[in-house]
Amino acid sequence: MDSDYLLSLLAEFTRIMQNTSMYENVTLNLNMTQGAGLPPTVSEILQTFAPAVILVDRVISPIWYVVGLIGNPISAYIWLSRRMRKNNSSAIYLGTLAIVHTIFLFLHFIMELNYAWDTPTYNKPVICALFNVLLIMPQYLTPLFVMAFTVERYIAVCHPFSKEKFCTVTRAIKVSVCLTAFSLSLASVQAYIWVYVEEHQSCKFAPHDDIIKFEKVWTMVTEMLLFFIIPVCVLVFNVCVIREIKRITGTVPVNSPQAGGGNTTSTITLLSVSFYFICTLLPASIVYALQSLLPHGTYPSTLQEMAVDPVWQRYFTYLTIRKVVEEICLSNNALYGYIYYITGPHFRKEVNKLFGITKCKKLVKKSSTQSPKSEYSLVSSNGKTQYDCVSTQI
């Protein structure tokens, strides 16, 4: 083949591929068809045909790591503190969810080292299967925990007489333990699917037809249940909560106790988290499901043959779109703490107290026709927050 023609093909690939693709818990599953040497790694393939893919993984993902590894531990500390979790069952779910997100971001970073930076991290026997079990487990837990506190808020708002029975801290702890055990049982299947292939020195799907067929069915079932059906159910419950609040309260603010937000977790905070979860998860589920319609090509003997394979061209284009969506969806594991701070006055107050942020005293002039009134302002004294009463009269 003429070398100039090949270079023009590679240039066209680079133009088409804008910013794409390393993908969570996915392998290209290349099988070496000849005995000469090792097959190219995923990083080598992307660096050859779509260097922008590697750039996205090396630039965008670290931003989410930094943002999430700051916000999530703070969220977990505050929600699981004695003051916040006392008589507040939603705090159990939100605090545990923050821990889950922290673990996932750490595992995602290890995965990115392997793919985007071409640094072997879990390409070892046993560790290969164990890592994939641990990586998928937090992804299962996130929709389950969001579903749990969404159902709880639905009960509190739409069935207030059942709130004392179902919306308790003890029940929230038990539900969290059960959901964790359920997720672990589902994730343990990955140990059967993933193996370390000594010949290729890499971690990939087990090269057996029966396991490959099982993986496709298992992935379809779990993806539909956890990443499509559950988000849709969350959406339905949220719509019911909003309609009930509008029906009962009319103009009463959503954060008020009359609107079902009687504990320290406001209804608007939980609704915001739920809707953000839906907006970031459903698109990822859709593009993931399209993978079966756009499979990658068979592994060629050389990268030059892969460059002119139209099946691979379509697959790389698909990965371009998929990567953009997945990078946006990765924010789902990083931004919850900031949503809590913006929408939750109690959470914001605790964060301000944690970092010593207090409101300054402010004197407000009163008109001569008004009687003297006292204004309360938040000040700091010896590291403790107290109220300072200032009386003014003009």
Side-chain angles (χ1 to χ4, degrees), residues 206-224:
H208 303 292
D209 291 340
D210 54 342
I211 296 180
I212 293 175
K213 293 178 181 178
F214 170 79
E215 183 275 331
K216 290 181 179 180
V217 175
W218 175 259
T219 300
M220 182 183 66
V221 172
T222 54
E223 290 286 326
M224 286 293 296

Side-chain angles (χ1 to χ4, degrees), residues 270-317:
L270 297 180
L271 288 175
S272 299
V273 170
S274 296
F275 278 116
Y276 188 75
F277 162 79
I278 294 169
C279 292
T280 54
L281 190 61
L282 280 180
S285 300
I286 293 173
V287 296
Y288 184 86
L290 292 176
Q291 181 173 344
S292 59
L293 302 177
L294 297 165
H296 62 72
T298 56
Y299 184 67
S301 58
T302 64
L303 292 175
Q304 286 79 5
E305 292 181 2
M306 184 184 292
V308 296
D309 186 345
V311 178
W312 276 110
Q313 293 182 31
R314 288 193 298 268
Y315 187 70
F316 283 130
T317 303

Side-chain angles (χ1 to χ4, degrees), residues 104-248:
F104 175 74
L105 288 176
F106 176 73
L107 294 173
H108 193 276
F109 168 69
I110 295 177
M111 184 191 71
E112 289 288 275
L113 285 177
N114 188 71
Y115 284 122
W117 296 89
D118 207 14
T119 302
T121 50
Y122 54 90
N123 291 334
K124 298 178 181 178
V126 181
I127 296 179
C128 166
L130 178 61
F131 176 82
N132 282 282
V133 170
L134 296 178
L135 181 65
I136 199 67
M137 184 177 171
Q139 298 178 61
Y140 289 164
L141 274 173
T142 295
L144 291 174
F145 275 123
V146 173
M147 181 71 174
F149 69 67
T150 301
V151 171
E152 184 182 76
R153 186 50 41 141
Y154 167 79
I155 294 174
V157 173
C158 300
H159 304 280
F161 294 108
S162 301
K163 179 180 177 180
E164 296 299 325
K165 178 180 179 181
F166 294 102
C167 304
T168 65
V169 173
T170 301
R171 183 177 290 272
I173 294 175
K174 292 180 180 179
V175 170
S176 298
V177 172
C178 292
L179 292 180
T180 302
F182 177 67
S183 297
L184 179 60
S185 64
L186 292 180
S188 62
V189 176
Q190 300 299 317
Y192 172 71
I193 296 174
W194 291 84
V195 296
Y196 173 74
V197 181
E198 182 69 31
E199 179 185 359
H200 301 162
Q201 296 182 7
S202 63
C203 182
K204 55 180 62 181
F205 292 151
H208 303 292
D209 291 340
D210 54 342
I211 296 180
I212 293 175
K213 293 178 181 178
F214 170 79
E215 183 275 331
K216 290 181 179 180
V217 175
W218 175 259
T219 300
M220 182 183 66
V221 172
T222 54
E223 290 286 326
M224 286 293 296
L225 172 63
L226 295 167
F227 304 123
F228 183 78
I229 294 177
I230 286 183
V232 170
C233 291
V234 169
L235 177 61
V236 172
F237 280 117
N238 283 338
V239 171
C240 292
V241 168
I242 294 173
R243 292 181 61 183
E244 185 68 11
I245 289 175
K246 290 180 65 176
R247 186 184 71 83
I248 294 177

